[in-house]
Amino acid sequence: MPQLIITVEGVEVRQVYLSRDRTTLGRAPENDIVLQNPAISSQHCAFDLKRLSDVFVEDLGSTNGTFVNNKRVKRQRLRDEDVVAISSFRIRFLTASADSGFRATAAMAFSPSQPAAAAHASFRVLTGSSAGLEVPVNKAVSTFGKPGVAVIVVAHRPSGYYAAHLDGEEVPQLNGRPLRQDPVLLAHHDVLELAGTQMQFVLAN
C-alpha cells in the first residue's frame, strides 16, 4: 500500500497509508491529514490513488504552493522516494509499505492487544519554525527522529508510554539526561531533545 512519511526539521511526525481514492491535506480540521501551520492553506493539496499504487499529488490552489523534488507543481504523478515539500514539512512517498525494522527487546516487551492507557499523548515541538506543532502518539509502537542520526521508539502500554533510543549515533536527551535503550516511562511535560529539536511530552485525558 502506498505510504507517506511526514517529517519536519528531520523529525518524523506521521505516517499515512493511502487507502482512499482521495486523501486531502491542509490546515482545516475536515482534511484527512491536518497540519497546523500558518504557512499551510486550509485546503492545501490532495493525494489521488489510481488503480493499486499510482498516486498523483494535486495542489488545491494553495497560497505557498506544493513542491515535488524542489519543483512547484499543480498536479504530478509521484514516483517511489519522491519528496513533497509543503512549508517546513517534507513528505516522502513510498510506493509500498516497508517493515520498520523494529525489534522489541526483552526489556521493551509489550502486548498491543492489552487495553491502552486512558490518557491521550502527543509531543509538542518547542524549537524551530514548527514550534507549537502537536504530534500525536497514537500507535502501539511509534518511532520518531532522523534515520542515521537519532531515532527513538515510544511503546504504548497499559501502564503508560515508554521511550527508548532505537537507532543513530546521536543519543537523545530526556530532561537533560541521555535516553538509552532501556525503556523509560514518560511523564507529563517531560522534555525530549531529538536530532536537534526539543519536544515536550503532553498527556491529556
Side-chain angles (χ1 to χ4, degrees):
M1 182 184 298
Q3 180 182 11
L4 305 176
I5 299 178
I6 305 174
T7 63
V8 58
E9 297 182 359
V11 177
E12 183 178 316
V13 297
R14 191 169 178 185
Q15 296 181 10
V16 178
Y17 296 94
L18 299 176
S19 57
R20 301 181 180 182
D21 290 339
R22 189 171 178 86
T23 301
T24 60
L25 180 152
R27 198 175 66 251
E30 61 266 21
N31 288 285
D32 301 304
I33 304 172
V34 179
L35 299 178
Q36 292 292 347
N37 187 300
I40 294 176
S41 297
S42 297
Q43 302 286 337
H44 197 102
C45 68
F47 296 89
D48 292 333
L49 176 63
K50 305 294 183 182
R51 295 185 288 276
L52 291 178
S53 61
D54 291 342
V55 175
F56 294 79
V57 61
E58 179 182 354
D59 186 82
L60 299 178
S62 67
T63 301
N64 294 312
T66 300
F67 297 78
V68 176
N69 301 330
N70 298 319
K71 180 181 178 181
R72 188 165 184 166
V73 300
K74 176 59 179 175
R75 181 177 173 86
Q76 181 168 316
R77 180 181 177 183
L78 295 176
R79 301 183 182 277
D80 193 37
E81 297 288 351
D82 274 353
V83 176
V84 180
I86 300 171
S87 181
S88 59
F89 293 88
R90 298 296 178 269
I91 305 173
R92 186 160 63 102
F93 172 72
L94 301 177
T95 56
S97 305
D99 178 26
S100 65
F102 169 73
R103 293 176 176 84
T105 64
M108 195 181 287
F110 68 97
S111 173
S113 63
Q114 291 176 325
H120 298 284
S122 64
F123 282 109
R124 179 182 297 129
V125 180
L126 301 178
T127 59
S129 60
S130 297
L133 176 72
E134 293 277 349
V135 183
V137 183
N138 52 15
K139 297 181 181 179
V141 177
S142 302
T143 57
F144 302 91
K146 188 174 183 180
V149 179
V151 178
I152 67 165
V153 59
V154 177
H156 186 185
R157 304 179 188 172
S159 56
Y161 295 80
Y162 290 79
H165 184 199
L166 179 64
D167 187 32
E169 297 181 359
E170 187 177 299
V171 178
Q173 302 288 309
L174 181 64
N175 299 324
R177 297 182 178 181
L179 179 66
R180 305 296 184 181
Q181 293 183 346
D182 292 330
V184 176
L185 177 64
L186 294 173
H188 185 52
H189 284 172
D190 275 352
V191 175
L192 176 73
E193 185 168 342
L194 179 64
T197 298
Q198 285 191 342
M199 302 185 295
Q200 186 177 59
F201 183 70
V202 179
L203 282 173
N205 292 318

